[in-house]
Amino acid sequence: MFEMFFPDEYLDSTYEIDFEQLYKEGYRGLIFDIDNTLVPHGAPPDERAVALFDRLKKLGFRSCFLSNNKIERVASFNDVIGEQFIENAGKPAVKNYRRAMEMLGTDLSNTIFIGDQLFTDVWGAKRTGIRNILVKPIHPKEEIQIVLKRYLEKIVLHFYRKQKLEASSKK
């Protein structure tokens, strides 16, 4: 029932993703949510985010920010990082996931989406056919509409973990 919302992978943080391994596996495009995926909600890029994107560029990745936020937020974040971006993305609609891949020159086979929300980030990536990684939110302070969705996410993640546990016990 909830499987359509299950992430392909679930990690504690964007900053623990093994991007070197993903590059070896043939991935070349990375699409990121910003708020609570890379920095706390509304925060500017910190040293960790700047270092991450410097590292990703050196590895050969192309990146794009895909955010439901307004142009002012996304552009000001990107001014420091220097990647491509799409604001007011309308996630989970697939249109701008596809547009991001076009901007990156990648396709479904070599693109990964990284975000912190199941019902926008992950579901949109899954609907598009993009491999996705759900990360835990960086900071608990969020807008009220997101706080409400987090309660529903807990239910979905309970079943996700249960399925993973059952699958690993069968091995």
Side-chain angles (χ1 to χ4, degrees), residues 85-86 94-104:
F85 67 88
I86 300 170
V94 301
K95 175 183 156 191
N96 284 316
Y97 288 83
R98 291 184 181 137
R99 185 170 155 225
M101 287 188 291
E102 287 173 18
M103 291 166 70
L104 296 172

Side-chain angles (χ1 to χ4, degrees), residues 22-80:
L22 293 175
Y23 195 85
K24 285 179 191 170
E25 292 172 14
Y27 291 95
R28 296 299 181 262
L30 302 170
I31 305 172
F32 288 91
D33 177 52
I34 297 172
D35 288 319
N36 260 341
T37 298
L38 295 166
V39 295
H41 187 82
D46 56 17
E47 289 178 18
R48 191 166 65 156
V50 171
L52 173 64
F53 285 93
D54 286 345
R55 183 173 128 225
L56 294 175
K57 287 174 190 172
K58 287 176 184 161
L59 284 171
F61 280 110
R62 300 195 64 206
S63 300
C64 181
F65 300 117
L66 187 64
S67 176
N68 285 348
N69 234 310
K70 295 181 173 125
I71 183 87
E72 298 82 13
R73 165 65 179 140
V74 183
S76 67
F77 183 88
N78 191 56
D79 283 347
V80 177

Side-chain angles (χ1 to χ4, degrees), residues 153-167:
E153 284 184 357
K154 285 180 183 179
I155 295 167
V156 174
L157 289 172
H158 165 79
F159 288 101
Y160 168 78
R161 288 184 190 102
K162 183 177 176 184
Q163 184 184 69
K164 287 286 184 192
L165 189 63
E166 288 170 359

Side-chain angles (χ1 to χ4, degrees), residues 94-137:
V94 301
K95 175 183 156 191
N96 284 316
Y97 288 83
R98 291 184 181 137
R99 185 170 155 225
M101 287 188 291
E102 287 173 18
M103 291 166 70
L104 296 172
T106 60
D107 58 36
L108 297 175
S109 71
N110 62 0
T111 306
I112 295 180
F113 183 90
I114 298 125
D116 69 297
Q117 293 188 54
L118 281 178
F119 301 124
T120 52
D121 298 331
V122 169
W123 192 34
K126 288 181 78 74
R127 291 175 67 208
T128 307
I130 300 173
R131 180 176 169 187
N132 59 82
I133 300 173
L134 176 69
V135 296
K136 292 180 181 172

